[in-house]
Amino acid sequence: MYHDLNLFIGGEWRAASGKATRNVTDPATEEALGTIAMATEDDVDAALAAAQSGFATWRRFGTWDRAALLRKTADLIRERVETIATLMSLETGKPIAEARGETNAAADQFEWYAEETKRIYGQIIEGRTGESRMSVIYQPVGVVAAFSAWNFPALLPARKIAAALGAGCSIIIKPAGEAPASCAALVAACHDAGIPAGAVNFLTGNSSMIAERLIRSPIVRKVSVTGSVPVGKEILRLAADGVKKVSMELGGHGPVVIFDDVDAEAVARTCAATKFRNCGQVCISPTRFYVHESQYEAFAGAFAEVAKGLKLGRGLDDGVQMGPMANRRGLTTIEEMVSDAVGLGASVLAGGARPKSMNAGYFFEPTVLGQVPDEALVMREEPFGPIAPITTFRDYDEVMERANALPFGLAGYVFSNNLSLATRASEDLEVGMVGVNEMLLATAEAPFGGIKESGMGREGGSLGVMDYLNPKYVRTRIEPIGRQS
C-alpha cells in the first residue's frame, strides 16, 4: 500500500536529481514505510520555473472552468477516501475513522473553493464627478510557496492548495517529511482532475533548504505556513526581505473555561473526547482546563474516567481510539512535561507514562493531571500530545487574566448555560476562534486562524481566498483628454 514518493514538478512525477531519499517511519512500529525524494537546489529551481509557467496558464482560466476542476478534484478525493485514509493512518498512526474524516474534510476544502472562486467580488466606488469612474478588482497574487505540518497531512495542504487554485494562483507545496503520502494523494487528484501542469507542484526533502530557496526567489509572491511558532517566525524573517505576502497558522495553547452553571461530568466527557483526538496533536486542541472550584471534583473525575477507558493501538486495528504520537521528540517532550508538573505538586489522575504493554511505537497513555500550577511547563508551552492539565478558578476576572496570559491566541473554549456570561467570555478571550459549549471548530465554510504569536491571516471560509489575492484600484476618466482631431 505505502510506496516510495517522488517529486511532482510541471505535471510529472520524478526522482530527485541527486537520487537521494529518506525513510518515512510508521510511528506505531518504528519501522520504515517507504521513502521520500530529497529535492536538490536544482529541483527547487525546476519547481519554481514550472510554477511560474503554470501560473501564466492557470490564471487565464475562467472562474467557472477553475470551479469545475476543483469540484472534480473533490470528487476524486472522495472516491479514493479509503486509500488515502489508509496511507494517512500508516504514516501518522491516527485511527482509521479519524483518517477517513480528515480525508473527507480535505475534499470539502476543494468543494468550498470550487464555489468561492465564482464569488471573488470587486467593488464600484461612486466618483466625485460625472467624468470619473472608480473600481477595485482582485487579482491572483502569483506563485505560492506553502508548507504544512504532519498532524493533519491532508486537511492542512488542502486548505492551501484549494484556496490558491481558487484564486487563480499556482502553488508549490512542501509537506512534512513525517507524513507526505496524504498530500501526494491530493496532488495526484488535482492532476487527474485536469488541473494544468505547473499549477500544483510537490517537493519533499530538507525543509530548511527548500524553504529558504523558495522564499528568497523573486518568483514566489505569497507564503503560507502551518507549523510551530519558532518555524513561523523564521519564515516571516525570510519573507520580509522580499516583502512577500504571508499567512501563517502557528501553535496555540487553547484555554477552556468551565463555569459553575453546567453539568461538569457531561462537559468533561465532551472535552476528553476532543482532547485525545489525534493523540492530542491538534493545534486547536483544548490544552488548559480552568474549572470553577465548585465543579472541579466532578469534572476531573469524569475526565480521568474517559482517559482510562480509551483503547490504544495501531490506527488500522479494530476498536482503536487513540494511536501513537507522530515522533520520538514529541514523546520525550510530553514525558518532561508530566515530570515537571508532578514535581510542582500536580497529581496524576490518569496515565502519565508510556504503556508497559507496548514495546515499540511512540505511544503514551492518555494523561490527566489535576491541580496543575500555572508555572508548570505544560501550562506555559503547548503540550502537543495526549496530556490534559486541569486547574481551578474562583471568579471571572481572575480566570480571564490567566487564560489570556500567554503569547498564543489560536483557539479557546467556554462552557456556560448563561447566555450573558458565555457571550462576555467569548468576546474577552484573546484568540482567533472560540467554541461556546462546542469544541469542533474546523469546517470548510468558517475562517480558521489566530492572533498574537499564533499567526496571521485566515484559512477556510470566504476570508480564506482573500489571502491569495491582491486588490487593485482602477480610476478611469471617461471624458477625452484634449480635443480629438
Side-chain angles (χ1 to χ4, degrees):
M1 162 62 74
Y2 207 96
H3 57 86
D4 298 340
L5 294 175
N6 285 326
L7 313 175
F8 188 76
I9 299 173
E12 297 180 346
W13 294 100
R14 63 172 80 170
S17 58
K19 307 302 180 184
T21 62
R22 189 175 73 195
N23 284 345
V24 178
T25 301
D26 181 342
T29 65
E30 301 181 54
E31 297 175 353
L33 288 166
T35 63
I36 56 172
M38 298 293 288
T40 65
E41 291 185 350
D42 287 343
D43 295 324
V44 177
D45 291 345
L48 285 164
Q52 188 174 37
S53 175
F55 173 59
T57 300
W58 180 243
R59 70 176 304 180
R60 302 197 184 283
F61 272 57
T63 54
W64 283 67
D65 294 328
R66 290 206 301 265
L69 295 180
L70 288 171
R71 176 64 71 115
K72 178 61 176 175
T73 302
D75 292 341
L76 289 175
I77 293 169
R78 292 189 178 111
E79 289 174 12
R80 301 168 183 180
V81 63
E82 286 302 318
T83 299
I84 299 172
T86 301
L87 292 171
M88 187 188 305
S89 184
L90 286 168
E91 64 187 4
T92 65
K94 68 177 63 183
I96 188 65
E98 291 186 17
R100 291 188 188 105
E102 180 182 341
T103 303
N104 282 314
D108 288 349
Q109 293 291 327
F110 283 91
E111 180 176 344
W112 173 261
Y113 283 108
E115 298 302 320
E116 206 62 20
T117 189
K118 304 174 187 176
R119 296 173 176 83
I120 299 172
Y121 300 129
Q123 183 182 15
I124 300 297
I125 304 169
E126 190 68 24
R128 292 192 178 190
T129 60
E131 68 271 11
S132 179
R133 300 289 186 272
M134 294 183 286
S135 63
V136 177
I137 61 174
Y138 287 92
Q139 296 180 308
V141 68
V143 175
V144 176
F147 307 88
S148 67
W150 46 261
N151 56 327
F152 286 92
L155 177 58
L156 299 179
R159 285 176 177 159
K160 303 175 191 305
I161 297 170
L165 293 176
C169 299
S170 62
I171 187 168
I172 304 169
I173 183 76
K174 164 62 177 69
E178 291 95 334
S182 305
C183 180
L186 302 187
V187 171
C190 289
H191 173 71
D192 295 345
I195 291 172
V200 181
N201 304 274
F202 171 89
L203 293 176
T204 55
N206 184 291
S207 297
S208 297
M209 182 279 287
I210 293 173
E212 182 161 359
R213 197 158 188 89
L214 286 178
I215 297 170
R216 290 197 184 283
S217 170
I219 292 173
V220 168
R221 294 311 312 161
K222 154 79 181 182
V223 181
S224 175
V225 58
T226 301
S228 68
V229 173
V231 167
K233 288 181 177 180
E234 181 57 33
I235 286 179
L236 196 59
R237 280 189 284 267
L238 284 171
D241 287 340
V243 196
K244 315 283 186 180
K245 192 178 182 78
V246 177
S247 60
M248 49 182 59
E249 186 259 291
L250 308 179
H253 202 334
V256 186
V257 182
I258 298 98
F259 290 100
D260 61 357
D261 63 340
V262 297
D263 181 336
E265 293 185 7
V267 172
R269 288 190 288 271
T270 296
C271 290
T274 305
K275 169 69 256 183
F276 298 117
R277 184 171 66 96
N278 200 30
C279 200
Q281 300 167 127
V282 182
C283 56
I284 60 171
S285 179
T287 49
R288 291 178 286 150
F289 295 89
Y290 298 95
V291 185
H292 190 272
E293 58 187 9
S294 67
Q295 299 281 21
Y296 172 77
E297 294 297 335
F299 181 88
F303 205 120
E305 183 181 0
V306 173
K308 292 174 182 177
L310 293 175
K311 181 179 178 180
L312 275 66
R314 184 170 174 263
L316 293 175
D317 292 345
D318 291 340
V320 167
Q321 296 165 291
M322 195 181 89
M325 297 188 66
N327 51 57
R328 186 172 297 280
R329 66 180 181 275
L331 185 62
T332 301
T333 298
I334 292 300
E335 288 182 311
E336 292 173 351
M337 287 183 166
V338 172
S339 177
D340 171 76
V342 171
L344 291 171
S347 56
V348 178
L349 305 180
R354 303 188 194 189
K356 295 179 181 178
S357 61
M358 295 176 175
N359 297 319
Y362 309 128
F363 291 96
F364 198 82
E365 296 172 332
T367 297
V368 183
L369 302 178
Q371 296 293 5
V372 183
D374 286 356
E375 62 268 25
L377 185 63
V378 71
M379 297 293 280
R380 295 183 286 110
E381 297 185 8
E382 181 179 24
F384 215 59
I387 177 173
I390 305 174
T391 188
T392 59
F393 73 93
R394 181 168 295 176
D395 63 59
Y396 181 89
D397 290 338
E398 166 214 340
V399 73
M400 283 297 119
E401 182 178 357
R402 293 164 66 194
N404 292 330
L406 300 184
F408 311 110
L410 189 57
Y413 305 89
V414 174
F415 285 88
S416 173
N417 291 319
N418 181 319
L419 178 61
S420 176
L421 180 62
T423 301
R424 181 183 171 199
S426 68
E427 293 174 352
D428 287 347
L429 281 176
E430 296 173 358
V431 294
M433 298 171 282
V434 180
V436 178
N437 299 329
E438 169 67 84
M439 305 211 86
L440 301 178
L441 297 180
T443 183
E445 60 269 29
F448 191 99
I451 61 174
K452 300 197 288 189
E453 291 191 10
S454 288
M456 61 183 70
R458 292 295 182 268
E459 294 184 312
S462 58
L463 295 179
V465 74
M466 302 307 293
D467 275 308
Y468 296 88
L469 297 165
N470 284 328
K472 178 181 285 185
Y473 158 55
V474 179
R475 180 165 181 163
T476 304
R477 181 185 176 91
I478 63 173
E479 296 294 330
I481 299 176
R483 186 180 296 276
Q484 293 179 316
S485 57

